[in-house]
Amino acid sequence: MSGDSKPVAKPIDVAVGILMQPNGDVLLGQRPEGKPYAGYWEFPGGKVEPGESIFAALQREFKEELGIEVLDGEPWCGVEHVYPHAHVRLHFYISRQWRGEPQSLEGQAFAWQGSVGVEPLLPATIPLLQWLDQLRYGDKA
């Protein structure tokens, strides 16, 4: 084994929520200053804590970041992505029911998007947009 090879890190589990309004609009948040990829847009979420279910992590993160209570979540897809700073396993949930209006509790910008027009997008988010459009709009996408 060569001296410069690093052990492969276990991916970090991340719960990601796609809040979807009845018209198909989805909520994207902008990563705040001080975090990797600051200024990039993504679907909100965060790390799953030890012993926590993915959906419970999603509910906790949305409460902490946006001040809303997620009432339902349908597992949608999972994606692994290796960033320079972390290897993540993203668990995407689609939620159509929540209580409260999103607020910027961590100083982050957020925007409801139909056709996603914010840039730059976090790299792991980009491939999902086409799948999401098919889900939201069917063959019209």
Side-chain angles (χ1 to χ4, degrees), residues 14 27 32-33 48 72 78 80 93 112 116-117 128 130 140-141:
V14 177
L27 187 75
E33 287 301 317
V48 178
D72 78 346
E80 279 197 35
Y93 278 71
W112 289 103
V116 175
L128 299 176
Q130 188 174 359
K140 296 180 285 184

Side-chain angles (χ1 to χ4, degrees), residues 32-47:
E33 287 301 317
K35 289 194 173 181
Y37 286 89
Y40 280 69
W41 292 83
E42 66 180 348
F43 293 107
K47 290 180 194 162

Side-chain angles (χ1 to χ4, degrees), residues 71-128:
L71 302 175
D72 78 346
E74 171 190 333
W76 181 48
C77 69
V79 174
E80 279 197 35
H81 194 89
V82 180
Y83 288 103
H85 70 283
H87 178 183
V88 294
R89 183 184 298 126
L90 306 168
H91 302 269
F92 288 87
Y93 278 71
I94 293 176
S95 177
R96 292 179 172 89
Q97 293 185 343
W98 58 89
R99 186 174 295 130
E101 284 299 315
Q103 308 160 58
S104 178
L105 298 181
E106 294 186 342
Q108 78 280 34
F110 59 87
W112 289 103
Q113 299 280 288
S115 175
V116 175
V118 292
E119 290 183 337
L121 288 166
L122 205 58
T125 301
I126 295 167
L128 299 176

